[in-house]
Amino acid sequence: MQNFLSVHDVTDIDGLMGSALAYKANPLKDQALGAGKRIGLLFLNPSLRTRLSTQVAARNLGMEPIVFNVDKEGWALEFEEGAIMSGSTVEHVKDAAPVLGQYFDVLCIRTFPSLKNRDDDYSELYIKQFVQHAGVPVVSLESATLHPLQSLTDLITIKESFTQKRRPKIVLTWAPHVKPLPQCVANSFAQWVNAWGESDFVITHPEDYELSEEFTQGATITHDQDAALKDADFVYVKNWSTFNDYGKIYSNDPDWMLTEDKLKLTNNARVMHCLPVRRNVELSDEVLDGPHSLVTREAGNRVWAAQAVLADILKTRG
């Protein structure tokens, strides 16, 4: 693995999941693998689980993690090619990224979409510029359109939680929210579940909340949440804003919130969410605090997903 930006950087999804679960069983088994190496974690927007889990994973491999909050501690970066830098940006990524590549053996980047211009966000300009100019492997800690470490974590959690000798039914359901959110997590989850190909996958959302077919192709899509939930083994709950009329909230229908009553339609489904979650908006307290919830285990598995990815990159580089 040279970089980790999407599922397309992974040649063996099951193998990577197996590696993650092996680290969960024995976290320090490769503690010398990253000895003498540094990992830089650059955040252009806030993080809790992604930041801390990646730091823990790096230390488990013997690496030294250094965190830098670009939006608060550094110069405002310019990303546009040929920009006339007479405004608020102070340093171009073409100058910053090669320097960071000299400081670190692996560079991790977390960016965020503007939700104003779809073409700009979906070009993934920010993270691609780091890949182009840093000269070291780049790991996405979330980008404008995808969150691959979260999605790998989600599949790991599903794999260890489902022991039956059949294909699970996995449902990704839209949920209400108080503000427009990116499509990153939903896009990425759909991309990874489709690429994995080991489940019956359904996406359900209100009208006008379609995701890009680039990520959903292969899934069954319906606007009928009750029909989607029928016989589900896993229900992944996430809000996202509109894709076509980009970054909008058309509906905030509370009937789309997942409740215990709705779970009665499922096959005793386990419930997942990437966190943070708006309680009693996206998910009810009774679900989050009840026996169906996997959200805490899912969040814990973020360490092992990151550790598997970093180990693969270190082994590739030798």
Side-chain angles (χ1 to χ4, degrees), residues 78-317:
E78 177 62 60
F79 291 87
E80 293 291 342
E81 190 72 32
I84 299 172
M85 293 176 56
S86 58
S88 60
T89 55
V90 177
E91 184 167 16
H92 202 287
V93 68
K94 291 170 69 174
D95 303 312
V99 174
L100 295 171
Q102 294 183 63
Y103 296 162
F104 300 111
D105 299 280
V106 179
L107 196 56
C108 302
I109 315 290
R110 182 177 174 100
T111 67
F112 206 69
S114 68
L115 291 182
K116 295 177 181 177
N117 185 306
R118 189 179 76 186
D119 290 343
D120 285 351
D121 286 346
Y122 274 70
S123 74
E124 292 287 12
L125 174 67
Y126 288 8
I127 202 161
K128 285 181 178 178
Q129 289 276 47
F130 278 104
V131 171
Q132 181 179 351
H133 299 297
V136 295
V138 173
V139 173
S140 171
L141 300 181
E142 188 175 23
S143 69
T145 66
L146 293 171
H147 198 343
L149 276 178
Q150 179 65 56
S151 302
L152 173 58
T153 299
D154 298 333
L155 288 189
I156 292 165
T157 306
I158 289 170
K159 184 180 181 71
E160 71 171 351
S161 304
F162 192 75
T163 57
Q164 299 183 41
K165 301 297 183 183
R166 61 175 177 84
R167 292 164 62 91
K169 180 180 178 181
I170 301 173
V171 176
L172 169 62
T173 180
W174 182 91
H177 204 278
V178 297
K179 64 179 183 178
L181 293 184
Q183 296 102 33
C184 316
V185 171
N187 283 346
S188 197
F189 185 73
Q191 183 189 60
W192 280 74
V193 173
N194 282 325
W196 184 42
E198 298 296 328
S199 70
D200 297 325
F201 183 37
V202 180
I203 301 173
T204 184
H205 56 74
E207 293 185 16
D208 301 316
Y209 281 88
E210 289 75 14
L211 297 165
S212 170
E213 292 183 4
E214 174 186 357
F215 306 112
T216 62
Q217 190 169 13
T220 299
I221 300 173
T222 176
H223 302 313
D224 187 337
Q225 188 188 44
D226 286 354
L229 292 174
K230 188 176 187 304
D231 298 327
D233 297 295
F234 295 90
V235 181
Y236 198 101
V237 178
K238 188 70 182 82
N239 174 268
W240 60 87
S241 58
T242 56
F243 173 74
N244 291 320
D245 184 16
Y246 189 60
K248 303 292 193 304
I249 292 180
Y250 284 162
S251 167
N252 220 3
D253 187 351
D255 286 344
W256 278 81
M257 182 181 74
L258 191 67
T259 63
E260 282 289 341
D261 280 344
K262 290 188 177 185
L263 281 176
K264 293 175 182 177
L265 299 168
T266 71
N267 185 27
N268 201 32
R270 308 305 299 274
V271 177
M272 304 174 69
H273 189 286
C274 63
L275 299 180
V277 61
R278 299 273 185 152
R279 282 176 172 259
N280 302 308
V281 176
E282 296 175 85
L283 275 167
S284 66
D285 279 338
E286 60 183 356
V287 172
L288 281 165
D289 299 330
H292 294 281
S293 177
L294 283 176
V295 296
T296 301
R297 182 193 297 188
E298 184 182 1
N301 283 341
R302 291 296 304 273
V303 172
W304 319 120
Q307 193 163 338
V309 168
L310 294 176
D312 193 294
I313 289 172
L314 292 171
K315 291 172 182 176
T316 299
R317 288 178 64 82

